[in-house]
Amino acid sequence: MTLALGIVADDLTGACDVAEAATDAGLATVVSIGAPSRVPAADCVVVALKSRTADPDVAVADSVASARRLLDAGAERLYQKYCSTFDSTDSGNIGPVAEALADLVSPERPVSVGTPATPSVGRTQYLGHLFVGDRLLSESSLRDHPLTPMRDPDLVRVLGRQATRAVSLVPHAIVRRGADAVRAAIGSTASGHVLLDALDESDLEVLAEAVGGGGVLIGGGAGLAGAVARRLAAGSAPAALPSLGDAQGPRLILSGSTSERTREQVAAFRGRVLRVSPQDLAASGATALVAEVEAALRDEAVLVSATDEPHAVRAAQDALGRERASALVEAALAEVAVAAVDRMGVRRLIVAGGETSGAVAAALGVTLLRVGRSAAPGVPWMLGERDGTRLALLLKSGNFGSPELFSTAWESAP
Ligand code: ADP
């Protein structure tokens, strides 16, 4: 099997999102949590990092190490996956990582080209401005993201602040003229970054035709990755999706996401809700919580939720410091996950939040994930193993899924 596409993703839920796109396109796809010591045999391997909010030097080092591993394993194309809402800060990490990976892919012409546009989930880019549904990025809830507040919708400017090389734009008027026009527009770039407008799937097909042939670093959201993957798969049928078989087990949901959509999902959930706060965890630890989960799981689906309104999150951060508040929640939810799998028979688990999902997967010791059935666009069930026990995990990025997801996702569980 040739490794047609190697993808370096800056967080775990984003890795699942892009793995779903590659699988749908017809590529047999595996997600490796962290750089794999041995690259698994697949058409597409996605390395899931935790680099979105890491120190830029660490993000660059981890991304380069992962990309090297993929290229050494014969990856024919390299894709830098970042968030469809361009989650980043003025110090990175999209720009610094793109420059380091472009140096690796084509040192003689270090160019990165791409777009976060993913129309299937309402992310479009026009004249370099990113829209979330019918709102500019800066007017969406991403404006107040706790770690990466996005207050400037002009991605040429945003990337310009992170990059040491020039940033240019291929506007929609050129994209509409087709792949040759896009190629010609990019052709004069000797080094730097080129952002590509895209409003719908047909624009992404044009962009994939223009840039999917290799020679430069490609990057962006799951939208462009899916279009590139479709060209590489050249019409092969999607592989049969793996299943967990009869192991049902109790239904457990862990939510450490503070995103607006997750707040709606928590509010809409009709089952037992156990709320936790960083302050309570700091005072009393998670032991009582684990016991409460165990008792409640015998009767019904249980949601353990740290999700709260922005003012409450801020209050917790003011009281404990942002990192400690996050770490307390992540460690508690991870402890619940491990106890649930080891002692309570849980085999299917929903986790909300990118950082939270990373913490839970790490605690469970899951290192490889295969793509299962989809619960919502960009939110596939993933199959992994803990000490030989097979698990189905739905790792949900903060703003994805319908408000009813915590109840409906079980219908598509593998
Ligand atoms: P999202 O995908 O919505 O951004 P993440 O899990 O990536 O979700 O990030 C949310 C962060 O906020 C996590 O580190 C989590 O531990 C932290 N967190 C969750 N609930 C609270 C809370 N009530 N107070 C403070 N921090 C919280």
Side-chain angles (χ1 to χ4, degrees):
M1 197 176 254
T2 18
L3 179 55
L5 185 59
I7 301 179
V8 179
D10 66 358
D11 85 342
L12 177 54
T13 50
C16 297
D17 176 20
V18 76
E20 180 190 40
T23 302
D24 285 351
L27 297 183
T29 302
V30 176
V31 172
S32 165
I33 301 179
S37 42
R38 226 171 31 117
V39 174
D43 300 324
C44 172
V45 173
V46 185
V47 178
L49 296 177
K50 212 171 179 300
S51 57
R52 186 169 294 170
T53 53
D55 181 83
D57 292 340
V58 174
V60 166
D62 287 351
S63 304
V64 167
S66 305
R68 279 223 173 89
R69 211 58 68 77
L70 293 167
L71 293 170
D72 289 348
E76 291 171 354
R77 309 272 184 291
L78 191 69
Y79 193 92
Q80 178 196 4
K81 164 69 171 63
Y82 48 78
C83 187
S84 62
T85 45
F86 217 76
D87 295 6
S88 51
T89 66
D90 284 352
S91 53
N93 289 329
I94 296 172
V97 168
E99 291 180 5
L101 295 187
D103 285 341
L104 206 61
V105 169
S106 54
E108 66 297 338
R109 185 175 168 237
V111 175
S112 87
V113 294
T115 181
T118 304
S120 61
V121 287
R123 276 53 156 171
T124 54
Q125 183 190 311
Y126 184 65
L127 295 179
H129 287 62
L130 187 60
F131 289 81
V132 178
D134 59 3
R135 290 271 161 264
L136 278 167
L137 174 66
S138 50
E139 293 173 17
S140 76
S141 62
L142 279 305
R143 182 183 168 76
D144 294 317
H145 190 283
L147 304 176
T148 50
M150 300 304 293
R151 300 197 166 175
D152 185 351
D154 181 338
L155 298 188
V156 175
R157 248 178 356 216
V158 173
L159 188 53
R161 288 193 289 270
Q162 302 176 17
T164 63
R165 300 172 187 160
V167 181
S168 61
L169 172 71
V170 176
H172 191 247
I174 292 181
V175 177
R176 219 170 33 188
R177 284 179 19 221
D180 286 343
V182 173
R183 244 182 250 121
I186 297 169
S188 55
T189 309
S191 91
H193 309 270
V194 187
L195 285 163
L196 311 164
D197 274 356
L199 300 183
D200 55 25
E201 293 299 328
S202 65
D203 290 339
L204 293 176
E205 298 298 334
V206 167
L207 298 180
E209 186 185 343
V211 304
V216 291
L217 175 72
I218 328 165
L224 180 60
V228 169
R230 279 192 289 281
R231 294 186 68 76
L232 295 173
S236 4
L241 296 175
S243 132
L244 205 56
D246 292 333
Q248 294 278 337
R251 299 175 174 193
L252 178 62
I253 304 153
L254 304 173
S255 179
S257 156
T258 51
S259 296
E260 186 178 29
R261 178 45 59 91
T262 307
R263 290 203 296 279
E264 293 169 7
Q265 288 160 338
V266 170
F269 177 68
R270 302 278 160 262
R272 182 74 181 280
V273 183
L274 301 176
R275 294 200 178 264
V276 290
S277 72
Q279 292 94 324
D280 289 349
L281 292 168
S284 351
T287 310
L289 174 66
V290 173
E292 239 186 309
V293 172
E294 187 159 16
L297 264 186
R298 290 192 198 112
D299 304 321
E300 56 187 334
V302 172
L303 163 62
V304 182
S305 171
T307 298
D308 217 331
E309 298 297 322
H311 67 84
V313 172
R314 264 195 307 277
Q317 291 175 334
D318 289 346
L320 299 162
R322 198 191 79 201
E323 280 178 16
R324 176 133 192 266
S326 284
L328 282 162
V329 169
E330 290 176 23
L333 296 182
E335 190 176 330
V336 171
V338 169
V341 170
D342 289 353
R343 300 208 316 263
M344 304 174 207
V346 166
R347 297 291 174 266
R348 293 171 182 171
L349 182 62
I350 298 178
V351 188
E355 296 291 321
T356 310
S357 294
V360 167
L364 288 172
V366 175
T367 50
L368 282 185
L369 292 167
R370 286 180 191 277
V371 180
R373 287 172 69 191
S374 178
V379 194
W381 281 94
M382 304 294 292
L383 285 102
E385 275 189 23
R386 167 172 171 76
D387 297 336
T389 299
R390 297 176 68 211
L391 300 175
L393 304 173
L394 192 79
L395 307 174
K396 187 199 84 79
S397 143
N399 277 309
F400 278 17
S402 73
E404 294 75 34
L405 185 78
F406 291 170
S407 302
T408 58
W410 304 102
E411 291 157 20
S412 56

